Each structure stands twice: as structure tokens, then as C-alpha cells.
Amino acid sequence: MQDTLKIKGIHHITAIAGSAAGNLAFYTQVLGLRLVKKTVNFDDPYTYHLYYGDAAGTPGTILTFFPWEHLPQGRPGPGMVTAMAFAIAKEAVDFWLNRLRDYKVEVQRSERFGEPVVRLNDPDGLGLELIGIPGPVATSAWESGPVPAAEAIKGFHSATQVVRNIDHTQALLAETMGMRPEGVEGKRHRFRMSQGLSPGGLYDLVVDAGAAGGLQGAGSVHHIAFRTPSDAAQAAWQSLLRQKGLHVTPIRDRAYFRSIYFHEPGGVLFEIATEAPGFAIDERPEHLGRALKLPPQYELMRGEIERHLKPLDASGPADRPMAVHP
Ligand code: ZN
């Protein structure tokens, strides 16, 4: 297999939120992520698309949301990414337990593959995990954020997908996408995309033959994107996946990356996104996330779009306690 056709890690994960303001407050003020881009859903321009990440929006640190107010809450199940895990320093676990309790966020402690796991839900019920890791990660700390750099979230650790039957999804991950089976713990099968400093290098399949069906809604993951270094590699992925019989979309320009999408055999919407051009293409790095950015096709509609969107203040009062219950 050519090296360019090996997936190197998660690029971003996109989920559905209810309230945009509640989502912004939780991810920036409680979890201390940076809002790196405030734009609209390119397929539904009267809806925000909020991007959070490290200071630079490094691929592998990016979590994005489509907030749809009044959407019923979803329910995790097979064919869905049911939890996303962020990496933290293992020395930071107690810091986070205390911080989350201060914000009235309920937490559960466990261990997985020898690493400490702090499990919590976001305000819409989305499953999140903070996993303590021993080494550094190549991410850029947000110096102006509310969490000190030593304790800050260091991008994605992994994501978890529930499957009723592992065979076809496992074959896609291991044989086509180049992920290395790394171990099994109970029902959890771990696959590795990258080693060392690179964020978002792990993907877990949890086998649950009797899992009840899920429902997409607020608090659900919409899709997961994996990263590829170049347009040429993306085009090669598109043709390889089509040869394997998957229905792959044309290449779509998402302004900050270019994307192809397909459903993996278990039902999850997978995306392969380019690392370039990144979030500094339309805003200076120090101003990321401040202005509402629109792609050229929507600039003529800016006035109408802005009238539909509730204003969001990313610089609201920090450290305001908020109750979050799973
Ligand atoms: Zn995406």
C-alpha cells in the first residue's frame, strides 16, 4: 500500500447541538477549547457551523457543531460514533475532575487500555471522554483560554463507534484504510492510525450484538472525518473506495479543507478531509473565530443570513457555573 493511502488520524468530528449559545459556552468556557471558526452550514446557510480546536485549529483537534435549536435529543446506537475522547496529560486528571464538579458536570472514572478515563456528557447529552496520556501531543496551546496549558485538552485521543457485527467495518478500517488492529479489551477493538505526537490517532469499535437502535438528534455525532495530506491523496482515496464498491461523493470544497464522504458498512458517515488550507485562510491566526465567515457563494446573502442567526458572543463571562447532567 502506498504510504499516502494510509489514514493518519482523525481530522475533525462533527456533531449536532441544540442551543448554539449553550454549546459555545460549554466548549469554550468549561472545556477551554478555542472557537476557531464561526461560519454557516454550507448545505443549510441559515444555521451556524461552529468549529472548536486548539489555538491553530490543527487537524486532529477540531470538533464542529451544527446547532439546530428545538431539535429533539438523539440517542446513541449502532452505526453511530457514540463517544469522542480528548487527550489530556495523565497528571491533569484530578484537575479536570475538580473543574467539572465545580461546573456541576457529572463525571464517571474508569480505565481503558491502562489509561485513566473521565466520562461526561455535554449539555445536549453528547458522550465525551477525557483520557490521560503519558506523553506530549503536537498541538498549539491557546494562551488566552481559561484552562492552563499544562492541563489543556490536547486534541482528540480517539473516537468510539458501536457495531452490532464487526466484520465489514473492521475490514474497511484494517484492510482498506490502513488502520492497525492494536488490541481488544472486552467488547472494545482498538485500531491505530498514527503513533506518538500526532493527535487523534485511535479509533475504537465496540461490538454489541443486541444494541438498541440509535436516533440522530441533538447530542449525536453527525460524521467523523479522517485526514489526508494532499489533494492527490484524496483523489486516490476517492477512486480506491469506489473500487471497493462504496458510494463516495464528489470532492466538496469546505473552504478550510476539501472533503469526500461515504457511509462505512456499519452506517457511520465517514469523511476524508485534506489538511490544507486550514482556518487561517480567511482570518488572521490571532482573530480566529471572531467574525462570521461566509463562503463566497453566500456573501451576497450575508444580510439575510445574519438576520436569521442569533448573535453569539464568544467572549462572554468565563467561569460561570452551569449545570450539566448526563
Ligand atoms: Zn466534516
Side-chain angles (χ1 to χ4, degrees), residues 109-117 131-134 157 190 202:
R109 273 290 312 265
S110 61
E111 273 217 356
R112 183 181 299 161
F113 292 104
E115 293 174 330
V117 178
I131 299 186
I133 60 166
H157 174 281
R190 173 155 286 181
L202 296 169

Side-chain angles (χ1 to χ4, degrees), residues 7-29:
I7 288 293
K8 299 287 172 57
I10 296 168
H11 182 284
H12 65 268
I13 300 177
T14 293
I16 301 168
S19 152
N23 183 264
L24 179 70
F26 181 79
Y27 283 95
T28 59
Q29 294 172 30

Side-chain angles (χ1 to χ4, degrees), residues 12 14 223 261 271:
H12 65 268
T14 293
H223 65 267
Y261 303 83
E271 173 181 351

Side-chain angles (χ1 to χ4, degrees), residues 12-14 49 51 64 66 223-225 254 257 259 261 271 273:
H12 65 268
I13 300 177
T14 293
H49 192 183
Y51 288 77
T64 98
F66 299 133
H223 65 267
I224 180 165
R254 298 313 193 187
F257 42 86
S259 299
Y261 303 83
E271 173 181 351

Side-chain angles (χ1 to χ4, degrees), residues 27 29 54 66 102 109 119 121 125 131 140 146 148 182 187 208 214 223 237 248 263 266 269 272 275 290 319:
Y27 283 95
Q29 294 172 30
D54 69 354
F66 299 133
D102 286 349
R109 273 290 312 265
R119 165 83 191 199
N121 284 354
I131 299 186
S140 54
E182 175 146 292
K187 296 174 168 181
D208 184 354
H223 65 267
W237 275 114
V248 186
H263 282 96
L269 183 59
I272 294 178
E275 290 172 6
R290 283 203 198 159
D319 298 320

